[in-house]
Amino acid sequence: MQLQEEILILDFGGRYSQELARAIREMQVFSRILPYNADLAEIKKLNPAGIILAYRPEKGPAGENTAVTRRPDSGIFQLGIPVLEFQPEEAEGGQGEDLIRDFLFNVCQVKGSWNMEDFIKWQIEAIREEAGSARVISGLSGGVDSAVASALVHKAIGDQLTCIFVDHGLHRKGEVEEVRRTFGQDFKIPLIYVDARKRFLDKLAGVQDPEQKRKIIGEEFIRVFEEEAGKIGDASFLVQGTLYSDVIESVGEGKGVKVKSHHNVGGLPEDMDLELIEPLRDLFKDEVRKLGELLGLPEDIVWRQPFPGPGLAVRIIGSIDEEKLAILREADAIFREEIRKAGLNREIWQYFAVLPDIKSVGVRDEQRTYAYPIILRAVTSTDAMTADWARIPHELLERISSRIISEVESVNRVVYDITSKPPGTIEWE
Ligand code: XMP
């Protein structure tokens, strides 16, 4: 299906194409990125209102002169579509924006009427067309993407959709209830809740190695999901919350984007023989959040911070058991509550508690204690590739620490991680 008007960005390398695409969408013009060597026939088929050739900078970050090595296929200039050759240096000092605006609205004469409401309508039609009368299943992870994708598909095809939510027992406090309440009760989406907590804990018992833990969780997840999906019977489609950033993969300076082939996000089974429905394929993360808000999903889901698939398992150092999970869940909930109360929840990229595999000496009620410390980790970031430790005010840290120590039994010390990435990763395992 054709969106009303779009601008095509041909990526000649560098990291600017995505920024450019987002800037254009903010001007309410839909934009799409293809690699520099995209097929002319494909470009013709898209019938864009204009094409921008986004080059990598003439001068690399280190100041060396790296000349633009690729020139566009001259056929592009003969398509009869306006073409702008864009150099990132031009973006400096706001001139870039003027240049783009002029190209879009004066040269290409686009209207600038792209908006999320229309996108929803358009997607709903596309999903209906794709799914027909077939049964569709969707795996909810508790995260933003699967929640928004599922809610959108349900709006399109109603109860042809069944959601499966596997509770592996490694979610944070309140998350399982929130997903069940939102989907099962508020949205009335057919939801299969699978209580697999014991299964996962049994498999994880005594396992210390982080990669081993991840592997066990990934494999068990697929097994449980397959079992449940099998019970639904004749499903032909699987919903996936694939985002635009998953679809276009930057393959490094000078090489341009590569469009990934179909892939399975989040380790869902490859051999299930289901066709994928990926309604978020064209959207950036912030657009997905906006879409979630428009669909009426609660703020806690729409603005949820990134959370690893293996959940709390990688935030308990070493082996996992129910007692440690309970300690971590409580401490983490206090941390999150205080950050939210202080209004810092959208500013800080990720903030969470970690439970290490050590105990230390303390005093409580004039008695010597020997208990766990809790590590607080909070970082600012834009893409999780690099991150800086968040400068949380000392008074707030003090409040969080006192609350954790007084409210969570078995914790007698709270420490704050002041390592940036690199060299420290965001997660501890
Ligand atoms: P690190 O710890 O490598 O994390 O700095 C970067 C980002 O990835 C998330 N993360 C994971 N996400 N499965 C996931 O789905 C994982 O095993 C995993 N490990 C790390 C992390 O929370 C951060 O946002």
Side-chain angles (χ1 to χ4, degrees):
M1 200 175 293
Q2 179 84 42
L3 281 167
Q4 43 183 346
E5 50 183 24
E6 72 175 64
I7 293 291
L8 177 65
I9 297 167
L10 288 183
D11 180 295
F12 283 79
R15 292 180 301 276
Y16 299 92
S17 300
Q18 291 202 32
E19 275 171 45
L20 193 57
R22 295 174 59 149
I24 292 173
R25 289 184 187 192
E26 294 213 336
M27 297 174 195
Q28 300 203 299
V29 180
F30 186 74
S31 60
R32 186 195 303 271
I33 307 170
L34 284 181
Y36 67 91
N37 54 358
D39 219 31
L40 273 183
E42 186 184 354
I43 295 173
K44 251 193 186 149
K45 209 169 117 203
L46 288 172
N47 189 26
I51 299 174
I52 298 180
L53 312 177
Y55 296 120
R56 63 179 166 142
E58 288 282 1
K59 285 191 169 80
E64 87 269 27
N65 259 305
T66 49
V68 176
T69 48
R70 283 171 240 280
R71 301 303 307 174
D73 181 331
S74 59
I76 283 167
F77 296 99
Q78 283 146 28
L79 289 173
I81 300 168
V83 177
L84 171 70
E85 300 195 58
F86 189 74
Q87 206 77 50
E89 283 91 346
E90 289 165 357
E92 280 166 23
Q95 279 171 12
E97 196 182 320
D98 293 344
L99 191 76
I100 299 287
R101 256 182 210 289
D102 181 60
F103 178 67
L104 298 184
F105 298 103
N106 296 330
V107 182
C108 304
Q109 306 252 316
V110 296
K111 288 193 285 295
S113 54
W114 185 73
N115 61 56
M116 198 51 84
E117 286 84 356
D118 287 349
F119 180 83
I120 292 178
K121 282 187 210 140
W122 170 75
Q123 261 306 332
I124 284 176
E125 265 181 61
I127 294 165
R128 282 184 185 148
E129 202 168 290
E130 202 177 349
S133 59
R135 182 148 290 287
V136 179
I137 53 180
S138 178
L140 288 175
S141 67
V144 187
D145 308 338
S146 65
V148 174
S150 304
L152 183 58
V153 171
H154 185 257
K155 208 173 158 79
I157 59 166
D159 292 357
Q160 268 170 258
L161 172 75
T162 303
C163 290
I164 299 175
F165 179 45
V166 177
D167 182 359
H168 50 30
L170 305 165
H171 292 283
R172 291 172 300 185
K173 189 175 177 179
E175 278 179 338
V176 173
E177 295 77 8
E178 168 107 74
V179 170
R180 295 183 76 179
R181 192 172 51 239
T182 303
F183 285 84
Q185 289 172 28
D186 300 349
F187 279 68
K188 307 233 179 322
I189 299 179
L191 172 67
I192 297 176
Y193 165 78
V194 192
D195 183 357
R197 288 177 294 180
K198 183 160 184 321
R199 239 174 114 155
F200 279 86
L201 265 193
D202 285 352
K203 286 260 158 151
L204 287 166
V207 180
Q208 305 243 346
D209 179 63
E211 286 316 307
Q212 191 65 20
K213 288 199 265 186
R214 279 191 169 79
K215 196 160 166 260
I216 290 171
I217 294 164
E219 285 174 2
E220 198 59 18
F221 191 88
I222 290 179
R223 223 163 278 146
V224 176
F225 193 86
E226 268 176 339
E227 280 174 25
E228 293 303 322
K231 290 182 199 162
I232 298 174
D234 58 345
S236 334
F237 291 93
L238 179 71
V239 179
Q240 291 217 320
T242 314
L243 303 193
Y244 199 44
S245 45
D246 302 319
V247 177
I248 48 168
E249 177 184 39
S250 190
V251 291
E253 198 72 14
K255 293 210 182 107
V257 291
K258 184 173 93 186
V259 177
K260 290 185 204 168
S261 55
H262 258 179
H263 59 295
N264 283 317
V265 180
L268 279 176
E270 265 176 47
D271 54 358
M272 275 181 62
D273 204 22
L274 294 172
E275 291 220 35
L276 297 182
I277 292 186
E278 299 176 301
L280 312 179
R281 263 184 92 81
D282 285 329
L283 300 184
F284 291 112
K285 190 86 178 187
D286 51 339
E287 294 171 328
V288 170
R289 292 210 160 104
K290 192 161 172 218
L291 172 55
E293 282 177 343
L294 284 173
L295 292 172
L297 287 169
E299 171 167 351
D300 271 356
I301 289 184
V302 170
W303 284 96
R304 206 176 91 131
Q305 45 173 322
F307 185 60
L312 299 182
V314 292
R315 292 178 182 173
I316 292 173
I317 311 303
S319 64
I320 299 160
D321 58 39
E322 238 164 294
E323 188 210 350
K324 287 181 181 170
L325 274 167
I327 295 170
L328 181 59
R329 227 179 241 128
E330 287 308 314
D332 186 70
I334 293 169
F335 189 21
R336 286 193 288 142
E337 186 188 325
E338 290 295 335
I339 291 288
R340 193 162 41 225
K341 271 205 260 174
L344 297 174
N345 50 321
R346 291 195 192 180
E347 218 166 280
I348 302 178
W349 172 265
Q350 272 177 288
Y351 46 98
F352 55 87
V354 175
L355 181 65
D357 197 16
I358 49 167
K359 287 185 175 178
S360 76
V361 174
V363 208
R364 191 195 290 246
D365 303 330
E366 293 172 34
Q367 296 281 322
R368 177 185 177 279
T369 59
Y370 188 56
Y372 290 113
I374 277 288
I375 297 157
L376 302 178
R377 179 74 164 143
V379 295
T380 53
S381 178
T382 51
D383 55 7
M385 299 295 284
T386 61
D388 196 8
W389 61 277
R391 270 53 170 183
I392 297 178
H394 289 177
E395 302 70 33
L396 180 55
L397 283 172
E398 185 179 14
R399 189 159 57 246
I400 294 163
S401 163
S402 328
R403 275 196 63 192
I404 290 177
I405 288 166
S406 69
E407 293 173 37
V408 188
E409 241 185 284
S410 332
V411 173
N412 65 355
R413 203 179 282 271
V414 172
V415 303
Y416 189 53
D417 181 356
I418 55 165
T419 320
S420 290
K421 174 184 179 178
T425 47
I426 295 176
E427 304 288 346
W428 269 54
E429 272 199 343

